Amino acid sequence: MAFVNGNYGKLKESYLFANIAEKVAAFQAAHPERKIIRMGIGDVTLPLAPVVVDAMAKAVAEMGKKETFRGYGPEQGYGFLHDAVVKYYTSFGVTLDTKEIFISDGAKSDCGNITDIFSDANVILLPDPVYPVYNDTNVMRGRKILFMKGRPENDFLPVPDDSVKADIIYLCSPNNPTGAAYSKEQLEQWVAYAKKNDAIILYDAAYEAFIDEDDATPRSIFTVAGAEDCAIEMCSFSKTAGFTGTRCGYTVVPLGLKRKAENGREMFLNKMWLRRQTTKFNGVPYIVQRGAEAALSPEGLEQCRANIRYYKENCRIMGEILDALGIRYYGGKRSPYIWMQCPNGMKSWDFFDLLLTKFAIVGTPGSGFGTMGEGYFRLTGFGSREDTVEGMERLKEGFDRV
């Protein structure tokens, strides 16, 4: 008999955003005349930077000629993109070896797939609220999961508790969904905790590009001394350069990072991840990697940052309206997300239903990110300027009906 993985039975029936999509589709079918303002899922809306499009077009032309055609590429990515990532990290004070970089089809994939190199006996420590992928991928493996509570009192940035013992710690900064970002001092506490407990930090830096260049907030866990001995970092071009539909990201695994297997054998995580990728992954298309390289060029960075400034202005507009309405919120400054408190003590899904049915606005219920998200709601700045303004005006004008 072929047995299935029973851990899947412990998951919620549908992924958070699939559930939202189903509700929105039902509403749209019942009210085709209503224009829905989508401020929920974190998908970009501006087109790719011109320099990225030009690089991809050139790469497409290369693929059409025998002399420049490319077949299978290296599973860990082409050297030209490795070099671009190394140079990019140098700009905020981090030195990487090209062999520490693994190009992937996005941070979401790597967040899930990285679990392959770790024993299921590990205890996992997750922030709450949390990006659902962190939780669900470990539920699928049947691992024990502990939660550290993000609260208004700690600005939704929990710090280590020495009474809690964990082996793998997930951190996301700037955070999805709350938009909060750890300071260097706070990350130093986490590095000290990981080293004390021989633990590994899985650091999701997908939103690091939303931190302004003159901001002292860390853009990488590797700006902290000693992090190379206890951390793996994942990042993405999805939010940095609008690659949500193009798919490209990378993971940094330090060459010297090692831990023991349950049999006592010491193993290097870089070599393990390389072995995993060369077995289960065929690499990101050459055309896409040329586009990613262009995004990290001086011209590409400026064009991509212009898009980020656009999204951050959307967040400023949302924050201005929420301030006027007296609604408490977090984020919006170092991330594309506004994490707002539901008015009048409403529960997250109740507020979702009200926004959809009364105002035709779609957001994301905070409870979908964990128990500590109950009573909160995530709005995204990734929409168009026109939709952002219209959506917030609808809320402002009808707030007395909430």
Side-chain angles (χ1 to χ4, degrees):
M1 178 182 291
F3 291 105
V4 299
N5 183 348
N7 292 313
Y8 277 69
K10 302 174 184 176
L11 296 166
K12 293 180 180 179
E13 282 195 22
S14 64
Y15 185 53
L16 170 62
F17 297 106
N19 193 11
I20 291 172
E22 184 178 344
K23 282 177 170 281
V24 173
F27 177 81
Q28 187 73 89
H31 304 280
E33 76 287 357
R34 301 284 299 276
K35 175 188 174 182
I36 296 177
I37 304 293
R38 300 175 186 271
M39 304 173 74
I41 195 166
D43 195 3
V44 297
T45 53
L46 294 176
L48 295 172
V51 69
V52 171
V53 175
D54 289 345
M56 287 183 171
K58 181 179 178 182
V60 169
E62 289 179 32
M63 296 296 279
K65 299 177 182 178
K66 184 176 181 180
E67 298 77 14
T68 51
F69 172 79
R70 296 179 186 241
Y72 287 124
E75 292 90 347
Q76 64 272 34
Y78 285 100
F80 60 78
L81 185 50
H82 282 213
D83 291 341
V85 173
V86 167
K87 185 176 180 180
Y88 179 61
Y89 268 67
T90 301
S91 70
F92 43 87
V94 175
T95 301
L96 298 179
D97 188 297
T98 59
K99 293 181 180 178
E100 296 176 318
I101 301 164
F102 297 83
I103 307 302
S104 71
D105 61 355
K108 179 179 180 179
S109 296
D110 282 0
C111 282
N113 293 331
I114 199 73
T115 61
D116 282 4
I117 68 172
F118 294 105
S119 166
D120 290 341
N122 285 306
V123 176
I124 310 300
L125 184 60
L126 302 180
D128 181 0
V130 66
Y131 180 44
V133 172
Y134 305 161
N135 180 74
D136 291 357
T137 52
N138 283 289
V139 169
M140 290 172 183
R141 298 295 296 254
R143 295 189 176 115
K144 180 179 179 180
I145 302 174
L146 304 176
F147 293 94
M148 44 184 169
K149 296 181 178 180
R151 299 184 175 94
E153 305 88 83
N154 59 19
D155 291 324
F156 293 96
L157 291 169
V159 292
D161 180 348
D162 286 335
S163 68
V164 176
K165 302 300 179 186
D167 306 303
I168 298 176
I169 305 136
Y170 284 74
L171 297 179
C172 179
S173 182
N175 184 268
N176 176 18
T178 69
Y182 279 110
S183 67
K184 187 169 185 179
E185 292 72 23
Q186 289 171 319
L187 289 182
E188 286 172 344
Q189 292 180 54
W190 277 114
V191 168
Y193 172 92
K195 297 181 81 168
K196 178 181 178 181
N197 291 278
D198 209 22
I200 293 290
I201 295 171
L202 299 180
Y203 191 79
D204 185 350
Y207 298 92
E208 58 81 19
F210 280 79
I211 299 172
D212 291 334
E213 292 180 273
D214 58 354
D215 190 332
T217 303
R219 296 175 65 178
S220 167
I221 188 71
F222 297 119
T223 60
V224 176
E228 68 277 6
D229 298 322
C230 63
I232 291 172
E233 181 162 295
M234 290 160 279
C235 200
S236 172
F237 288 92
S238 288
K239 306 308 190 291
T240 301
F243 275 44
T244 54
T246 311
R247 307 310 307 151
C248 192
Y250 55 87
T251 288
V252 178
V253 186
L255 286 169
L257 183 57
K258 56 188 177 181
R259 288 295 184 272
K260 291 181 179 179
E262 290 174 271
N263 63 7
R265 179 185 175 186
E266 196 167 62
M267 303 179 72
F268 286 90
L269 274 62
N270 183 286
K271 290 183 178 180
M272 294 175 68
W273 185 238
L274 176 62
R275 187 66 175 86
R276 189 269 175 202
Q277 293 297 81
T278 54
T279 301
K280 292 188 175 184
F281 185 56
N282 259 346
V284 175
Y286 169 72
I287 296 164
V288 173
Q289 292 193 55
R290 280 299 187 189
E293 177 194 27
L296 294 181
S297 69
E299 184 181 5
L301 286 171
E302 180 48 43
Q303 291 176 2
C304 291
R305 285 168 183 156
N307 287 355
I308 289 173
R309 288 193 292 270
Y310 179 96
Y311 296 135
K312 290 177 75 171
E313 175 63 13
N314 283 347
C315 286
R316 189 199 64 77
I317 291 168
M318 289 190 288
E320 189 174 65
I321 297 296
L322 294 178
D323 284 336
L325 295 174
I327 297 177
R328 188 176 183 181
Y329 67 93
Y330 303 81
K333 294 180 174 62
R334 298 183 179 95
S335 87
Y337 300 123
I338 293 284
W339 182 249
M340 61 174 285
Q341 192 168 25
C342 296
N344 303 322
M346 294 183 71
K347 291 189 176 297
S348 300
W349 276 107
D350 291 339
F351 188 57
F352 173 90
D353 291 336
L354 183 143
L355 280 185
L356 180 60
T357 58
K358 299 295 183 183
F359 305 109
I361 296 172
V362 179
T364 309
S367 59
F369 298 100
T371 58
M372 299 306 295
E374 183 59 86
Y376 287 86
F377 203 77
R378 193 190 77 174
L379 295 176
T380 173
F382 280 129
S384 69
R385 181 64 41 76
E386 296 74 19
D387 281 356
T388 299
V389 171
E390 182 178 347
M392 296 310 293
E393 285 298 325
R394 288 183 191 180
L395 183 60
K396 182 180 180 181
E397 291 171 5
F399 188 70
D400 57 349
R401 292 178 277 141
V402 173

